[in-house]
Amino acid sequence: GIGSAFIINDQIYRGALFGSGQIGHTIINPDGSACACGRYGCLETVASLFAIKKRARVFLKQQASADNPTQAGVELDTAQLLTLYHQGDAMIRALVDEGARAIGLSLYNFLNILNINRIWLYGRSCDFGESWLQTIVSQTGANPFDCSDAINATQLRFGELTRPQQVMGIGYLYVERALAKAM
């Protein structure tokens, strides 16, 4: 899926139900595909790795022919998807770019609503690389809150935490929540 977190005044903002940051369930196309949450057209239905792989498999099945019947039962994992993207496969690039544009538009809405000044991206999708990131950035347009002061301008880039650091952070959140319940 696609998630996010907000840090406000150096504190993680969780919201009343501990569910803030559910960017994956922002609706980008009310007539889009059904989402696991029960709504239609959520960002996750277009931009998550799961959705991109699913759409690619459907396309490959539709392209199956008598000359290449093996495509009819094709399984596509993340490593294969990344390889096809970096090899320049037009269909895969189109699906990934569509997802990146959707992420960028969703982030643009957050930028307008919350005046966010730093966005760090993490996850396997970041392996699509700099062109994927630039597609996202191009969709965010000019944040109306940005000023000519480069220090305060919105920054959108790949995160720099290592995987163990990310896992430790997630673990901290669970421990913190468990301790809060115990008190």
Side-chain angles (χ1 to χ4, degrees):
I2 299 174
S4 64
F6 301 115
I7 300 178
I8 302 170
N9 296 325
D10 295 327
Q11 297 292 315
I12 297 170
Y13 177 75
R14 292 175 178 81
L17 301 175
F18 292 88
S20 71
Q22 291 293 330
I23 190 173
H25 295 292
T26 56
I27 296 173
I28 58 166
N29 178 1
D31 296 322
S33 299
C35 181
C37 74
R39 295 184 177 177
Y40 290 85
C42 291
L43 180 61
E44 287 194 7
T45 66
V46 175
S48 70
L49 283 173
F50 177 82
I52 293 169
K53 288 185 289 189
K54 180 180 178 181
R55 294 171 70 207
R57 284 191 299 268
V58 168
F59 178 82
L60 291 172
K61 286 177 184 178
Q62 291 171 346
Q63 299 303 309
S65 66
D67 295 339
N68 195 357
T70 59
Q71 281 184 325
V74 71
E75 284 299 318
L76 187 65
D77 65 22
T78 301
Q80 293 167 320
L81 180 73
L82 288 162
T83 298
L84 290 168
Y85 177 82
H86 288 295
Q87 289 174 345
D89 183 284
M91 185 268 307
I92 298 295
R93 280 203 166 259
L95 291 174
V96 171
D97 289 347
E98 178 184 5
R101 284 190 302 274
I103 292 169
L105 290 172
S106 291
L107 290 175
Y108 176 78
N109 289 324
F110 277 106
L111 291 169
N112 280 316
I113 294 167
L114 299 173
N115 190 18
I116 298 169
N117 58 358
R118 286 185 201 95
I119 299 171
W120 291 292
L121 301 173
Y122 285 96
R124 289 293 309 270
S125 292
C126 293
D127 292 340
F128 288 121
E130 193 63 33
S131 64
W132 177 79
L133 177 62
Q134 290 310 310
T135 300
I136 293 171
V137 169
S138 71
Q139 292 301 304
T140 61
N143 178 352
F145 296 108
D146 275 351
C147 55
S148 60
D149 179 4
I151 293 172
N152 294 317
T154 299
Q155 301 169 20
L156 200 157
R157 59 178 64 134
F158 293 124
E160 296 177 3
L161 294 176
T162 64
R163 187 66 181 149
Q165 289 170 323
Q166 294 172 47
V167 171
M168 285 181 64
I170 293 166
Y172 170 80
L173 296 175
Y174 283 105
V175 169
E176 180 186 58
R177 190 170 182 185
L179 289 174
K181 287 181 181 179
M183 291 184 182

